[in-house]
Amino acid sequence: MKRATIEKARRDWAVTPNLLDYERTRAEFSWDAARRALEGLPGGGLNIAHEAVDRHAAGPRRDRLALRFLGKRGETRDFTYARLGALTSRCANVLKRLGVAKGERVFALAGRIPELYISALGTLKHGGVFCPLFSAFGPEPIRQRMSIGDGRVLITTAMLYKRKVAELRGALPGLKHVLLIGAPDEIRALPGTLDFNQLMAEADDHFVIPPTAPEDLALLHFTSGTTGTPKGAMHVHQAVVAHHMTGYYALDFHPDDIFWCTADPGWVTGASYGIIAPLTHGITSVIDEAEFDAERWYGILQEQGVTVWYTAPTAVRMMMKVGTGVIRKYDLRRLRFIASVGEPLNPEAVLWGQDAFGMPIHDNWWQTETGGIMIANYAAMDIRPGSMGRPLPGIEAGIVHRRKDGTVEEVSAPGVEGELALRPGWPSMFRGYLHEDERYRKCFAGGWYLTGDLARRDADGYFWFVGRADDVIKSSGHLIGPFEVESALLEHPAVAEAGVIGKPDPVAGEVVKAFVSLKAAYAPGEQLRRELLGFARKRLGAVVAPKEIDFVASVPKTRSGKIMRRLLKARELGLPEGDLSTVETETEAS
Ligand code: ATP
Ligand code: MG
């Protein structure tokens, strides 16, 4: 479609961004006021599902589409707020009938199907703690997480149960109820299980949410396992205040938006923004059951008229690999705002967005532990490509240095690298790592929550990601963030992906080594290797540029799309590979 036509249409549909005056909004912001933007339970207390579903189901947006599911085979299933209200009440009644107690853990293992979303919201209504598991997990990661989380209930499909869970039952003594989605005959043949749909059919449409307090536990999320064994981060009901507020400022939600978050609810992004935040705003979310496919994705953006799109750098890099040519075939004039999270967004990718979609991609930063977006590039602010943006209203971020005695000092001078830290106190902050109190305590010092990520802040308050503390390379007295090196390599037309590690070296301490996968039109070879080494050296200088480059078919990633540098390093050094529960396997990647 012609650029001019798209630009005119976008002007016609233009909305005023929610965050226009950054300084003023920050100065006037209070969490109490943010809390008042929500309704609260009629009898007092706060419940995520009430804010996400019930208050809209009982209000003027009751007939508005809440969730639209696009099935793998092209089928569509729609749920209005009213219908979602009734179905989530049924689910809460099912849990009540089974005698599930408040605070007990309800796990779900399923693809992006409606029952998963209904279970999440039904559990929250009932007062249980919801824990999503990524559907591609094998039996061991499932067992590990369900034991740590002492799962009382598991909601899954008959197929996944047969393939992965049945063999684990003996190892999960605390698991009392297994609710299966599938054909009744198939479920009847599986001992020790119940039919989810049958229970739902027998349950009542009405459910009065028991008074959950703002500090009651609501969600258990396991981290991505990029740097080690995944941790179980616990979140409370008042996290919804942050979900709602960040949806408003960072994702710029407006009442008529059609939103698409491409993350799976198995990861925190897919729950905080794939389920909760858009619903609290009463807008429509599109959910695609299928995995990444560039043409399918552009088709969805076009056909569903997506206005706000939240995706991840790994997906952006895959789209870049396919090229901009295909995008021109699609009418994406409704698209207004694109955001990305999960990994650093290479400057090259930000600019590619401008070329491909006529708008830059807005990077934002947060973690499973923070429960919601903490630092972001906003719709009305100029982007500095490669920067994560500025802290949300209500969030104070700083750069700190750890001293040897365990205390920390804040670095106020701009441009200095250090650990990214946040002042505790926002509502979606994790309340602990399940069964790992010591590890949790170690995250705090000197009145800061220490994120484990390294960054710097420029003179205007924009934050720049350097790398994870665990991944940073120390070479000849210099600290080198892998992101900078990977970004430089990505600027070369042949490079599709790059992962960079420090390789022990007797002279330099460590030297930079890069693993590179190539775009389809390029083949690995000595000449290209030399070209890339020279290319990086020119951009980065001799100290920071990689000394070695290996070609790989693909860079190892977590299932949530994060480059696993620890695995590249372990393989390079012939060391044990550590926890592999979240590694994306080659077949899934292809
Ligand atoms: P684990 O803690 O188990 O090693 P993880 O940290 O990858 O896994 P998540 O909580 O899913 O688990 O990811 C959060 C991390 O992802 C952040 O701490 C940061 O390192 C990275 N990240 C997220 N968004 C960005 C971003 N915009 N820029 C740079 N890094 C990001
Ligand atoms: Mg982490």
Side-chain angles (χ1 to χ4, degrees), residues 62-91:
R62 55 176 289 112
D63 296 324
R64 159 125 197 180
L65 203 55
L67 303 174
R68 163 164 290 180
F69 290 88
L70 308 173
K72 279 185 188 155
R73 281 165 226 91
E75 69 281 19
T76 298
R77 284 171 75 185
D78 284 347
F79 297 83
T80 61
Y81 277 91
R83 178 132 182 266
L84 193 61
L87 289 170
T88 51
S89 285
R90 280 176 185 245
C91 180

PDB file of all heavy atoms in Angstrom, residues 62-91:
ATOM      1  N   ARG A  62     -19.998  -4.020  28.343  1.00  0.00           N
ATOM      2  CA  ARG A  62     -20.301  -5.447  28.490  1.00  0.00           C
ATOM      3  C   ARG A  62     -20.373  -6.186  27.149  1.00  0.00           C
ATOM      4  O   ARG A  62     -20.002  -7.347  27.054  1.00  0.00           O
ATOM      5  CB  ARG A  62     -21.585  -5.679  29.296  1.00  0.00           C
ATOM      6  CG  ARG A  62     -22.827  -4.950  28.756  1.00  0.00           C
ATOM      7  CD  ARG A  62     -24.078  -5.310  29.554  1.00  0.00           C
ATOM      8  NE  ARG A  62     -24.490  -6.691  29.265  1.00  0.00           N
ATOM      9  CZ  ARG A  62     -24.447  -7.684  30.113  1.00  0.00           C
ATOM     10  NH1 ARG A  62     -24.010  -7.507  31.330  1.00  0.00           N
ATOM     11  NH2 ARG A  62     -24.846  -8.881  29.755  1.00  0.00           N
ATOM     12  N   ASP A  63     -20.847  -5.508  26.103  1.00  0.00           N
ATOM     13  CA  ASP A  63     -20.975  -6.199  24.812  1.00  0.00           C
ATOM     14  C   ASP A  63     -19.780  -5.995  23.903  1.00  0.00           C
ATOM     15  O   ASP A  63     -19.763  -6.428  22.754  1.00  0.00           O
ATOM     16  CB  ASP A  63     -22.257  -5.745  24.109  1.00  0.00           C
ATOM     17  CG  ASP A  63     -23.469  -6.165  24.915  1.00  0.00           C
ATOM     18  OD1 ASP A  63     -23.412  -7.272  25.503  1.00  0.00           O
ATOM     19  OD2 ASP A  63     -24.433  -5.381  25.003  1.00  0.00           O
ATOM     20  N   ARG A  64     -18.807  -5.340  24.408  1.00  0.00           N
ATOM     21  CA  ARG A  64     -17.582  -5.127  23.625  1.00  0.00           C
ATOM     22  C   ARG A  64     -16.763  -6.423  23.612  1.00  0.00           C
ATOM     23  O   ARG A  64     -16.755  -7.183  24.569  1.00  0.00           O
ATOM     24  CB  ARG A  64     -16.814  -3.975  24.280  1.00  0.00           C
ATOM     25  CG  ARG A  64     -15.387  -3.929  23.952  1.00  0.00           C
ATOM     26  CD  ARG A  64     -14.954  -2.611  23.387  1.00  0.00           C
ATOM     27  NE  ARG A  64     -13.672  -2.858  22.748  1.00  0.00           N
ATOM     28  CZ  ARG A  64     -12.955  -1.979  22.133  1.00  0.00           C
ATOM     29  NH1 ARG A  64     -13.413  -0.767  22.005  1.00  0.00           N
ATOM     30  NH2 ARG A  64     -11.810  -2.274  21.586  1.00  0.00           N
ATOM     31  N   LEU A  65     -16.065  -6.629  22.510  1.00  0.00           N
ATOM     32  CA  LEU A  65     -15.228  -7.814  22.399  1.00  0.00           C
ATOM     33  C   LEU A  65     -14.039  -7.683  23.367  1.00  0.00           C
ATOM     34  O   LEU A  65     -13.306  -6.697  23.307  1.00  0.00           O
ATOM     35  CB  LEU A  65     -14.721  -7.899  20.963  1.00  0.00           C
ATOM     36  CG  LEU A  65     -14.289  -9.260  20.458  1.00  0.00           C
ATOM     37  CD1 LEU A  65     -15.399 -10.279  20.641  1.00  0.00           C
ATOM     38  CD2 LEU A  65     -13.901  -9.153  18.989  1.00  0.00           C
ATOM     39  N   ALA A  66     -13.881  -8.681  24.223  1.00  0.00           N
ATOM     40  CA  ALA A  66     -12.746  -8.668  25.163  1.00  0.00           C
ATOM     41  C   ALA A  66     -11.569  -9.432  24.561  1.00  0.00           C
ATOM     42  O   ALA A  66     -10.459  -8.931  24.490  1.00  0.00           O
ATOM     43  CB  ALA A  66     -13.164  -9.289  26.490  1.00  0.00           C
ATOM     44  N   LEU A  67     -11.854 -10.663  24.128  1.00  0.00           N
ATOM     45  CA  LEU A  67     -10.797 -11.515  23.584  1.00  0.00           C
ATOM     46  C   LEU A  67     -11.242 -12.124  22.261  1.00  0.00           C
ATOM     47  O   LEU A  67     -12.360 -12.628  22.149  1.00  0.00           O
ATOM     48  CB  LEU A  67     -10.476 -12.660  24.563  1.00  0.00           C
ATOM     49  CG  LEU A  67     -10.065 -12.283  25.988  1.00  0.00           C
ATOM     50  CD1 LEU A  67      -9.925 -13.537  26.856  1.00  0.00           C
ATOM     51  CD2 LEU A  67      -8.767 -11.496  26.004  1.00  0.00           C
ATOM     52  N   ARG A  68     -10.369 -12.058  21.290  1.00  0.00           N
ATOM     53  CA  ARG A  68     -10.612 -12.747  20.025  1.00  0.00           C
ATOM     54  C   ARG A  68      -9.472 -13.741  19.811  1.00  0.00           C
ATOM     55  O   ARG A  68      -8.313 -13.342  19.704  1.00  0.00           O
ATOM     56  CB  ARG A  68     -10.697 -11.770  18.862  1.00  0.00           C
ATOM     57  CG  ARG A  68     -10.525 -12.459  17.513  1.00  0.00           C
ATOM     58  CD  ARG A  68     -10.976 -11.613  16.371  1.00  0.00           C
ATOM     59  NE  ARG A  68     -12.433 -11.481  16.372  1.00  0.00           N
ATOM     60  CZ  ARG A  68     -13.102 -10.788  15.463  1.00  0.00           C
ATOM     61  NH1 ARG A  68     -12.458 -10.138  14.501  1.00  0.00           N
ATOM     62  NH2 ARG A  68     -14.411 -10.726  15.509  1.00  0.00           N
ATOM     63  N   PHE A  69      -9.819 -15.026  19.755  1.00  0.00           N
ATOM     64  CA  PHE A  69      -8.809 -16.073  19.562  1.00  0.00           C
ATOM     65  C   PHE A  69      -8.742 -16.479  18.105  1.00  0.00           C
ATOM     66  O   PHE A  69      -9.774 -16.826  17.503  1.00  0.00           O
ATOM     67  CB  PHE A  69      -9.152 -17.301  20.412  1.00  0.00           C
ATOM     68  CG  PHE A  69      -8.975 -17.049  21.872  1.00  0.00           C
ATOM     69  CD1 PHE A  69     -10.011 -16.514  22.626  1.00  0.00           C
ATOM     70  CD2 PHE A  69      -7.766 -17.308  22.498  1.00  0.00           C
ATOM     71  CE1 PHE A  69      -9.843 -16.262  23.977  1.00  0.00           C
ATOM     72  CE2 PHE A  69      -7.595 -17.059  23.844  1.00  0.00           C
ATOM     73  CZ  PHE A  69      -8.635 -16.528  24.586  1.00  0.00           C
ATOM     74  N   LEU A  70      -7.554 -16.472  17.567  1.00  0.00           N
ATOM     75  CA  LEU A  70      -7.345 -16.940  16.195  1.00  0.00           C
ATOM     76  C   LEU A  70      -6.695 -18.312  16.285  1.00  0.00           C
ATOM     77  O   LEU A  70      -5.557 -18.440  16.752  1.00  0.00           O
ATOM     78  CB  LEU A  70      -6.443 -15.964  15.436  1.00  0.00           C
ATOM     79  CG  LEU A  70      -6.897 -14.507  15.490  1.00  0.00           C
ATOM     80  CD1 LEU A  70      -5.855 -13.593  14.861  1.00  0.00           C
ATOM     81  CD2 LEU A  70      -8.254 -14.332  14.797  1.00  0.00           C
ATOM     82  N   GLY A  71      -7.440 -19.330  15.911  1.00  0.00           N
ATOM     83  CA  GLY A  71      -6.945 -20.700  16.050  1.00  0.00           C
ATOM     84  C   GLY A  71      -5.933 -21.049  14.970  1.00  0.00           C
ATOM     85  O   GLY A  71      -5.840 -20.376  13.943  1.00  0.00           O
ATOM     86  N   LYS A  72      -5.200 -22.115  15.233  1.00  0.00           N
ATOM     87  CA  LYS A  72      -4.168 -22.545  14.287  1.00  0.00           C
ATOM     88  C   LYS A  72      -4.744 -22.855  12.920  1.00  0.00           C
ATOM     89  O   LYS A  72      -4.086 -22.710  11.905  1.00  0.00           O
ATOM     90  CB  LYS A  72      -3.492 -23.814  14.814  1.00  0.00           C
ATOM     91  CG  LYS A  72      -2.440 -23.545  15.852  1.00  0.00           C
ATOM     92  CD  LYS A  72      -1.733 -24.836  16.225  1.00  0.00           C
ATOM     93  CE  LYS A  72      -0.816 -24.584  17.404  1.00  0.00           C
ATOM     94  NZ  LYS A  72      -0.544 -25.747  18.202  1.00  0.00           N
ATOM     95  N   ARG A  73      -5.988 -23.364  12.907  1.00  0.00           N
ATOM     96  CA  ARG A  73      -6.565 -23.781  11.630  1.00  0.00           C
ATOM     97  C   ARG A  73      -7.487 -22.728  11.018  1.00  0.00           C
ATOM     98  O   ARG A  73      -8.349 -23.042  10.210  1.00  0.00           O
ATOM     99  CB  ARG A  73      -7.331 -25.098  11.829  1.00  0.00           C
ATOM    100  CG  ARG A  73      -6.404 -26.284  11.873  1.00  0.00           C
ATOM    101  CD  ARG A  73      -7.060 -27.535  12.411  1.00  0.00           C
ATOM    102  NE  ARG A  73      -6.190 -28.179  13.385  1.00  0.00           N
ATOM    103  CZ  ARG A  73      -6.209 -27.954  14.700  1.00  0.00           C
ATOM    104  NH1 ARG A  73      -7.085 -27.102  15.212  1.00  0.00           N
ATOM    105  NH2 ARG A  73      -5.373 -28.568  15.492  1.00  0.00           N
ATOM    106  N   GLY A  74      -7.335 -21.497  11.465  1.00  0.00           N
ATOM    107  CA  GLY A  74      -8.100 -20.423  10.831  1.00  0.00           C
ATOM    108  C   GLY A  74      -9.432 -20.128  11.501  1.00  0.00           C
ATOM    109  O   GLY A  74     -10.149 -19.230  11.087  1.00  0.00           O
ATOM    110  N   GLU A  75      -9.799 -20.903  12.530  1.00  0.00           N
ATOM    111  CA  GLU A  75     -11.078 -20.639  13.202  1.00  0.00           C
ATOM    112  C   GLU A  75     -10.932 -19.458  14.171  1.00  0.00           C
ATOM    113  O   GLU A  75      -9.850 -19.186  14.667  1.00  0.00           O
ATOM    114  CB  GLU A  75     -11.586 -21.891  13.937  1.00  0.00           C
ATOM    115  CG  GLU A  75     -10.785 -22.316  15.163  1.00  0.00           C
ATOM    116  CD  GLU A  75      -9.483 -23.066  14.853  1.00  0.00           C
ATOM    117  OE1 GLU A  75      -8.983 -22.968  13.716  1.00  0.00           O
ATOM    118  OE2 GLU A  75      -8.949 -23.693  15.776  1.00  0.00           O
ATOM    119  N   THR A  76     -12.067 -18.778  14.426  1.00  0.00           N
ATOM    120  CA  THR A  76     -12.057 -17.621  15.332  1.00  0.00           C
ATOM    121  C   THR A  76     -13.034 -17.859  16.465  1.00  0.00           C
ATOM    122  O   THR A  76     -14.147 -18.334  16.229  1.00  0.00           O
ATOM    123  CB  THR A  76     -12.492 -16.353  14.551  1.00  0.00           C
ATOM    124  OG1 THR A  76     -11.545 -16.126  13.508  1.00  0.00           O
ATOM    125  CG2 THR A  76     -12.529 -15.127  15.441  1.00  0.00           C
ATOM    126  N   ARG A  77     -12.633 -17.552  17.679  1.00  0.00           N
ATOM    127  CA  ARG A  77     -13.567 -17.636  18.815  1.00  0.00           C
ATOM    128  C   ARG A  77     -13.556 -16.303  19.548  1.00  0.00           C
ATOM    129  O   ARG A  77     -12.510 -15.833  19.970  1.00  0.00           O
ATOM    130  CB  ARG A  77     -13.174 -18.775  19.759  1.00  0.00           C
ATOM    131  CG  ARG A  77     -13.555 -20.140  19.192  1.00  0.00           C
ATOM    132  CD  ARG A  77     -12.968 -21.268  20.022  1.00  0.00           C
ATOM    133  NE  ARG A  77     -13.660 -21.460  21.278  1.00  0.00           N
ATOM    134  CZ  ARG A  77     -13.242 -22.335  22.212  1.00  0.00           C
ATOM    135  NH1 ARG A  77     -12.154 -23.053  22.017  1.00  0.00           N
ATOM    136  NH2 ARG A  77     -13.907 -22.473  23.341  1.00  0.00           N
ATOM    137  N   ASP A  78     -14.742 -15.721  19.682  1.00  0.00           N
ATOM    138  CA  ASP A  78     -14.877 -14.384  20.269  1.00  0.00           C
ATOM    139  C   ASP A  78     -15.527 -14.432  21.648  1.00  0.00           C
ATOM    140  O   ASP A  78     -16.464 -15.202  21.870  1.00  0.00           O
ATOM    141  CB  ASP A  78     -15.765 -13.510  19.369  1.00  0.00           C
ATOM    142  CG  ASP A  78     -15.016 -13.035  18.136  1.00  0.00           C
ATOM    143  OD1 ASP A  78     -13.777 -13.176  18.100  1.00  0.00           O
ATOM    144  OD2 ASP A  78     -15.681 -12.527  17.208  1.00  0.00           O
ATOM    145  N   PHE A  79     -15.082 -13.571  22.531  1.00  0.00           N
ATOM    146  CA  PHE A  79     -15.665 -13.470  23.868  1.00  0.00           C
ATOM    147  C   PHE A  79     -15.886 -12.010  24.218  1.00  0.00           C
ATOM    148  O   PHE A  79     -14.935 -11.234  24.264  1.00  0.00           O
ATOM    149  CB  PHE A  79     -14.733 -14.100  24.919  1.00  0.00           C
ATOM    150  CG  PHE A  79     -14.527 -15.566  24.696  1.00  0.00           C
ATOM    151  CD1 PHE A  79     -13.577 -16.015  23.784  1.00  0.00           C
ATOM    152  CD2 PHE A  79     -15.299 -16.507  25.372  1.00  0.00           C
ATOM    153  CE1 PHE A  79     -13.394 -17.370  23.555  1.00  0.00           C
ATOM    154  CE2 PHE A  79     -15.119 -17.863  25.153  1.00  0.00           C
ATOM    155  CZ  PHE A  79     -14.165 -18.297  24.232  1.00  0.00           C
ATOM    156  N   THR A  80     -17.136 -11.654  24.475  1.00  0.00           N
ATOM    157  CA  THR A  80     -17.405 -10.287  24.952  1.00  0.00           C
ATOM    158  C   THR A  80     -17.074 -10.235  26.440  1.00  0.00           C
ATOM    159  O   THR A  80     -16.886 -11.267  27.091  1.00  0.00           O
ATOM    160  CB  THR A  80     -18.893  -9.928  24.801  1.00  0.00           C
ATOM    161  OG1 THR A  80     -19.638 -10.861  25.602  1.00  0.00           O
ATOM    162  CG2 THR A  80     -19.356  -9.991  23.355  1.00  0.00           C
ATOM    163  N   TYR A  81     -17.051  -9.023  26.983  1.00  0.00           N
ATOM    164  CA  TYR A  81     -16.800  -8.900  28.426  1.00  0.00           C
ATOM    165  C   TYR A  81     -17.886  -9.626  29.223  1.00  0.00           C
ATOM    166  O   TYR A  81     -17.593 -10.280  30.234  1.00  0.00           O
ATOM    167  CB  TYR A  81     -16.688  -7.427  28.830  1.00  0.00           C
ATOM    168  CG  TYR A  81     -15.288  -6.899  28.572  1.00  0.00           C
ATOM    169  CD1 TYR A  81     -14.952  -6.299  27.358  1.00  0.00           C
ATOM    170  CD2 TYR A  81     -14.290  -7.065  29.516  1.00  0.00           C
ATOM    171  CE1 TYR A  81     -13.659  -5.867  27.109  1.00  0.00           C
ATOM    172  CE2 TYR A  81     -12.986  -6.637  29.272  1.00  0.00           C
ATOM    173  CZ  TYR A  81     -12.674  -6.032  28.070  1.00  0.00           C
ATOM    174  OH  TYR A  81     -11.389  -5.619  27.829  1.00  0.00           O
ATOM    175  N   ALA A  82     -19.134  -9.529  28.774  1.00  0.00           N
ATOM    176  CA  ALA A  82     -20.220 -10.179  29.510  1.00  0.00           C
ATOM    177  C   ALA A  82     -20.003 -11.698  29.534  1.00  0.00           C
ATOM    178  O   ALA A  82     -20.126 -12.351  30.571  1.00  0.00           O
ATOM    179  CB  ALA A  82     -21.564  -9.837  28.872  1.00  0.00           C
ATOM    180  N   ARG A  83     -19.658 -12.248  28.380  1.00  0.00           N
ATOM    181  CA  ARG A  83     -19.483 -13.705  28.299  1.00  0.00           C
ATOM    182  C   ARG A  83     -18.254 -14.141  29.100  1.00  0.00           C
ATOM    183  O   ARG A  83     -18.279 -15.152  29.801  1.00  0.00           O
ATOM    184  CB  ARG A  83     -19.362 -14.078  26.816  1.00  0.00           C
ATOM    185  CG  ARG A  83     -19.139 -15.509  26.551  1.00  0.00           C
ATOM    186  CD  ARG A  83     -20.056 -16.092  25.482  1.00  0.00           C
ATOM    187  NE  ARG A  83     -19.765 -17.506  25.341  1.00  0.00           N
ATOM    188  CZ  ARG A  83     -18.920 -18.008  24.455  1.00  0.00           C
ATOM    189  NH1 ARG A  83     -18.330 -17.217  23.569  1.00  0.00           N
ATOM    190  NH2 ARG A  83     -18.683 -19.309  24.410  1.00  0.00           N
ATOM    191  N   LEU A  84     -17.201 -13.361  29.012  1.00  0.00           N
ATOM    192  CA  LEU A  84     -15.992 -13.684  29.771  1.00  0.00           C
ATOM    193  C   LEU A  84     -16.293 -13.613  31.275  1.00  0.00           C
ATOM    194  O   LEU A  84     -15.806 -14.441  32.054  1.00  0.00           O
ATOM    195  CB  LEU A  84     -14.873 -12.694  29.405  1.00  0.00           C
ATOM    196  CG  LEU A  84     -13.472 -13.062  29.857  1.00  0.00           C
ATOM    197  CD1 LEU A  84     -13.013 -14.382  29.254  1.00  0.00           C
ATOM    198  CD2 LEU A  84     -12.484 -11.948  29.469  1.00  0.00           C
ATOM    199  N   GLY A  85     -17.141 -12.662  31.648  1.00  0.00           N
ATOM    200  CA  GLY A  85     -17.542 -12.553  33.060  1.00  0.00           C
ATOM    201  C   GLY A  85     -18.239 -13.822  33.511  1.00  0.00           C
ATOM    202  O   GLY A  85     -17.932 -14.391  34.564  1.00  0.00           O
ATOM    203  N   ALA A  86     -19.177 -14.318  32.708  1.00  0.00           N
ATOM    204  CA  ALA A  86     -19.940 -15.513  33.079  1.00  0.00           C
ATOM    205  C   ALA A  86     -19.041 -16.752  33.112  1.00  0.00           C
ATOM    206  O   ALA A  86     -19.101 -17.555  34.044  1.00  0.00           O
ATOM    207  CB  ALA A  86     -21.083 -15.706  32.083  1.00  0.00           C
ATOM    208  N   LEU A  87     -18.186 -16.889  32.103  1.00  0.00           N
ATOM    209  CA  LEU A  87     -17.351 -18.102  32.039  1.00  0.00           C
ATOM    210  C   LEU A  87     -16.297 -18.128  33.147  1.00  0.00           C
ATOM    211  O   LEU A  87     -16.012 -19.185  33.712  1.00  0.00           O
ATOM    212  CB  LEU A  87     -16.671 -18.183  30.666  1.00  0.00           C
ATOM    213  CG  LEU A  87     -17.626 -18.504  29.525  1.00  0.00           C
ATOM    214  CD1 LEU A  87     -16.932 -18.323  28.171  1.00  0.00           C
ATOM    215  CD2 LEU A  87     -18.159 -19.936  29.647  1.00  0.00           C
ATOM    216  N   THR A  88     -15.731 -16.980  33.468  1.00  0.00           N
ATOM    217  CA  THR A  88     -14.735 -16.971  34.542  1.00  0.00           C
ATOM    218  C   THR A  88     -15.414 -17.210  35.895  1.00  0.00           C
ATOM    219  O   THR A  88     -14.826 -17.802  36.790  1.00  0.00           O
ATOM    220  CB  THR A  88     -13.926 -15.657  34.553  1.00  0.00           C
ATOM    221  OG1 THR A  88     -14.836 -14.553  34.529  1.00  0.00           O
ATOM    222  CG2 THR A  88     -13.029 -15.554  33.332  1.00  0.00           C
ATOM    223  N   SER A  89     -16.679 -16.786  36.021  1.00  0.00           N
ATOM    224  CA  SER A  89     -17.432 -17.103  37.241  1.00  0.00           C
ATOM    225  C   SER A  89     -17.671 -18.606  37.330  1.00  0.00           C
ATOM    226  O   SER A  89     -17.561 -19.205  38.396  1.00  0.00           O
ATOM    227  CB  SER A  89     -18.773 -16.364  37.257  1.00  0.00           C
ATOM    228  OG  SER A  89     -18.552 -15.011  37.557  1.00  0.00           O
ATOM    229  N   ARG A  90     -18.010 -19.204  36.217  1.00  0.00           N
ATOM    230  CA  ARG A  90     -18.187 -20.666  36.211  1.00  0.00           C
ATOM    231  C   ARG A  90     -16.910 -21.348  36.679  1.00  0.00           C
ATOM    232  O   ARG A  90     -16.945 -22.280  37.486  1.00  0.00           O
ATOM    233  CB  ARG A  90     -18.505 -21.164  34.803  1.00  0.00           C
ATOM    234  CG  ARG A  90     -19.951 -20.972  34.443  1.00  0.00           C
ATOM    235  CD  ARG A  90     -20.190 -21.388  33.007  1.00  0.00           C
ATOM    236  NE  ARG A  90     -21.568 -21.081  32.687  1.00  0.00           N
ATOM    237  CZ  ARG A  90     -22.493 -21.983  32.398  1.00  0.00           C
ATOM    238  NH1 ARG A  90     -22.178 -23.256  32.318  1.00  0.00           N
ATOM    239  NH2 ARG A  90     -23.725 -21.619  32.154  1.00  0.00           N
ATOM    240  N   CYS A  91     -15.796 -20.912  36.138  1.00  0.00           N
ATOM    241  CA  CYS A  91     -14.520 -21.531  36.494  1.00  0.00           C
ATOM    242  C   CYS A  91     -14.248 -21.365  37.990  1.00  0.00           C
ATOM    243  O   CYS A  91     -13.802 -22.307  38.659  1.00  0.00           O
ATOM    244  CB  CYS A  91     -13.405 -20.918  35.646  1.00  0.00           C
ATOM    245  SG  CYS A  91     -11.798 -21.604  35.991  1.00  0.00           S
TER     246      CYS A  91
END
